[in-house]
Structures are given as structure tokens and as C-alpha cells.
Amino acid sequence: MPFVQSPPELGNQYTSDRALRSYLARALPADVRAGIEPELTAMGELAGGELYRFQLADRRNEPVLTQWDAWGNRVDRIEVSPLWREAERIAAGQGLVAIAYERRHGQYSRVHQFALAYLFTPSSDLYSCPLAMTDGAARALIEAGNRALIERAVPRLTSRDPREFWTSGQWMTEASGGSDVGLTETVARRENGGWRLYGRKWFTSASTSQMALTLARPEGNPAGGKGLALFYVETRDAQGRPNRILVNRLKDKLGTRKVPTAELTLDGAPAELVAGTADGVKNIAPMLNVTRTWNAVAACALARRGLALARDYAGKRVAFGAPLAEKPLHADTLAGLEAEIQGALHLAFFVVELMGREEAGRAGAEQKSLLRLLTPVAKLLTGRQVVHILSEVIESFGGAGYVEDTGLPLLLRDAQVLPIWEGTTNVLSLETLRALEAVGGLAVLKREIGILLRGVREPDLVRISAQVERAVEQAESWLSAAKGDALEAGARRFAMTLGRAVELALLAHHAQWSLEEEKERHTLAAARRFGAHGVNLTADMNADDSRRLAGDRSNG
Ligand SMILES: Cc1cc2nc3c(=O)[nH]c(=O)nc-3n(C[C@H](O)[C@H](O)[C@H](O)COP(=O)(O)OP(=O)(O)OC[C@H]3O[C@@H](n4cnc5c(N)ncnc54)[C@H](O)[C@@H]3O)c2cc1C
């Protein structure tokens, strides 16, 4: 018999996730944790078992667009894959959006929701994408305070009944600009007492949604972002026909191939204003804050899935006389990934906690400022971390990692979207600078880091605390010296430095707690390793060098 390698397998994705369980043990009161643990255990079992097997079997199925019926009617029907149909049923039934609005556990409801979403996401081929937008739409409608739209849409967006449940799209990007949405060309016209939208949306994921929030420029409004208004659109009319919305084609994408990302023409689509005839970018911001948080949690979740598979494989694959897990260098490679994942997890869930506190009316001004500042930071940093981690995960399988029917390449391809949509790394780095201005500088972050590090006693953690504080001070002095182009050119490394400093501070805080309460040195090891990877990226920034190295079109 020739040699046959046993494939990697997954166990219960909750009970085997030491970092998540340890985090929840600290972050949640005991009664809340005990109350949600059965759901987490069941979701962990599903995600590592039946749903994972379904995902592997469903690998080749993709959404299919049918534009015409047999008789020449334009129907624009999109059939999603069997896995996605099941994912929708599970997501509604488990309340993956609803939990945040039912608020059974008060300020901890967001942690409850996102812990479940974290377990669910990697086995659903990013069904988290429509869920994120659905959650974001509910939040944006509630914040806009439009009674009629809240009554019509929010009960459906937050329903636990799969027959009632609606998802929402978020149609912002146009061919003219995804980052610079001020270039939006879609026009809103008053016709017969209502609004009609005319234009082309260039990337619309969740194109099977029943509704969407979108930006358009009411005729006569000025150019730029200020002149855009936020509109509510239902995608089908009462007879189930497309509501003057044409699906031109589905995108042929590197990854997220289960996500039906479409190009749409709005050909007089009936729409309703959400909140006034201008300030659409401002009014859609609550939606973006929610979707960016989902993005950060999805990044941690995909990274964790990759490492869980790599770990299992390392115990099975033998090279040079021993399983890879026993090879010091292979083990060291995986250890570095574990440290980065733990940092990402703590940052993403810190933002989740802040969001939950704010929504439950339990956040003071400082915490609101922190949320404003750390939402873009968490999205941009975790988005970059996950791509790096999953690239290493693929390599850790050798050639098998590059072969499609192992189901592994999918992880990396899907992860690559996380730094792009919901604001690219650069765009969110500039957003971080704006957020800093809005919250009055770094003082609030420094105070929070001080609080996190106050109880640290373990000598290595004391040293790590000094590293965090030094990195923030260096970033701050770079910020106060940088002007104009130099400020913009350094924004990404600055934002990453803040993010890495907060991740390390959270790791140190948790490590001290875990040493005392759990008698565990696992997070301590993660903090040490993460610190060794480095925090401060602002050293030696030189805008002239950047310009020289970036080159121009005449320079290959
Ligand atoms: C799979 C997928 C699904 C998507 N789904 C949706 C969706 O449902 N709804 C939706 O609205 N959009 C969606 N998008 C679009 C996505 O949000 C945009 O692609 C993204 O915001 C970037 O916009 P762009 O493609 O126009 O790139 P551009 O804005 O042209 O950016 C190109 C590059 O320039 C950089 N850049 C831009 N401005 C600056 C600056 N000032 N300084 C430095 N660098 C800058 C960017 O970081 C980027 O690297 C989706 C995209 C993908 C890939």
C-alpha cells in the first residue's frame, strides 16, 4: 500500500479554543457565561463537525445568476450555494443578528453575539458578510430614528424566524470610487411624490438581500460627500419582481466566491430617505462601525480556523522521523501565529465590549471616544494580521496547502478580502487620524492603556508594559512632528503601532489575570512572543524615501 496522509480534522471549535474561553472567563460575569455556554458549545460542535463537512462538500458550488426566464422576462434571480442556504437558516435561528437587539445580557450582549459569530463564520464561507450588513443596517436605521423604516425593517432584520428574516445590502462602492464615495454618480430624483434612484453600483455583496441602504445624490445637491443622502431600498416589489434594479453580472473574484457580489444598475429604483436629503456619509457611519467590527471578528475567526487545522496536521504529518509538531522550528512557527491571533482576538473583542457598553447606555465619554478610535484600528490591523497568518498556515501544510480540494487555499483567498472591503488599510489609517482629532488626541488611549497595565506584576509583563508605553510615546512624538505629506505617508505605520500597542497591553492585562485566576502561563507566553515581534513601526519614517521607493509609471 502506498502511503496515504490522514487529513487535518477539527474538534469542537469552542471547547478547543483556549484563548477564547479564557477571554470569556475574564470578560463576562459568571452567570452570563454560564447562560451562554450551552449555545457556544453547540455552535462549536456544529462548526467543527457537520457544518465543516458540509462546507468541504459544497466547495465547488457558487452563486448562479439567471437574468432571463424562458419567455424573455427579466428576472435577475440569484441562487446561492446549498451551504449558504443552510447558513442563513442557522444564522437566523441562532439569532446571530437578533442577540444584539434582544439584549438579554445587557452590555454583554455584543460579546455573546460575536462569540457565536466567531465560531460560526469560518464554516459558513463568510456568511458573516450579509450578517454584518444586516446588523449594520438595523443599527443605522435605529440611530437615524426614522420611525416608519424602523417599524418596517428592523423586526425583519433582527428576526429569529428564517421565514421572516431579512438581510440587508450596503451599496456604496461605484466604479468611480469605493474609498472616495464622494464621487458617487447615482442620482436621486423626485418622481410622483417619491424618490427614484438612477445609477450603477459596482460592488454589492449580499445581492440576494431583501433591502439595502445606499448612497445617492438628490438632484441639485452639491458635489462631494456632503451632497449625498442615505436611502432605503427594497429589492423586490410586492409581486417579487426586481424593483427596477438590474443585476448586470456577478463578480469573478479571487475569494469569497460563495458571496454573490454583483454589479447593479438602479433604473429608477423606488427609495426612501433615511434621514434628510444630505449627510448620507455621516448617516451610514453607524452601519460601517458595525460591519468593521464584524470584519475584525471574522479576521480572528479565519486565522483561528487556519491554525486549528495546521496544529492538527502537525500532529499527524511525519518528517525526518517525527511529527512536525515535535520539530522545534515548526512548533516555533505555529507559536508565532498563536501569539498574533491572541493579540487580534483581544483587540477585536475589546471593541465588541465597548460597542455593547455604548448600546446599553453604559459607556461614558471616554469609552465612546475609545470606541471611535479603536474601531478603524481593529479593522485595519486584524485585516493585515489574518492575511499574514493564513499565508503561513498554507505554507505549514507544504504542497497540500496549495491544493484546492484540501479546502485550505480558500482560507487565504477569503481572508484577502478583509483588508479591502469596509475600508482598505490605508483608508482606515487616515480615518484613524481623523478619529484622533475628534477625540482630542492620544490622551484617552494612554489613560486606557494605563488602566490595563496598572495591575501587572509579573516581571516579564512589567517589561512588556514598558515596551507598550514606549511605543505609544514614540508614536505620539512622531505624530506631533509629522506634517502634510509626511503625516499622510506615515498614517498606516502609525495606526498599526497604536493597534499593536493596544493588542500587547490587552495581552499583558489578560496574562496577569490568567496567572492569578487560572494559574495559566499561556497568555504570558503569547504576550512575550507578541512583544518580541515588535510594536513600534513609526521609527525611521521618511516621506521622501517613500516617494522615491514607490516610483512612478516610468519606473517599472
Ligand atoms: C469581494 C468584495 C465585495 C465587496 N462588497 C461591497 C459591498 O457589498 N458594498 C460596497 O459598497 N462595496 C463593496 N466592495 C467594495 C470595497 O468596499 C471597495 O473595493 C473598497 O472600499 C476600495 O474601493 P475601490 O475598489 O474603489 O478602490 P480605490 O478606492 O480605487 O483604492 C485603490 C487603492 O488606493 C488606496 N487609496 C485610496 N485612497 C487613498 C488615500 N487617500 N491615501 C492612500 N491610499 C489610498 C486604497 O487603499 C487602495 O489600496 C466589495 C469589494 C470586494 C473585493
Side-chain angles (χ1 to χ4, degrees), residues 12 17 23 79 88 109 147 183 185 216 237 243 256 282 298 307 356 402 516-517 524:
N12 183 309
D17 192 331
Y23 161 74
E79 275 294 308
E88 175 166 313
S109 299
R147 275 282 125 225
L183 297 173
E185 292 176 326
D237 65 16
N243 226 349
T256 67
K282 192 175 114 221
L307 186 56
Y402 210 68
E516 289 165 14
E517 302 295 324
L524 170 64

Side-chain angles (χ1 to χ4, degrees), residues 170 172-173 178-179 203-205 253 256 417 420-421 424 426 430:
Q170 167 189 306
M172 295 179 74
T173 304
S179 307
F203 276 92
T204 62
S205 295
K253 298 172 288 177
T256 67
V417 85
I420 297 176
W421 65 17
T424 62
N426 282 357
L430 297 171

Side-chain angles (χ1 to χ4, degrees), residues 354 358 361-373 439:
L354 290 169
E358 185 187 55
R362 305 291 297 266
E366 290 253 321
Q367 288 177 331
K368 287 182 185 171
S369 297
L370 269 179
L371 180 61
R372 167 89 167 82
L373 181 58
V439 305

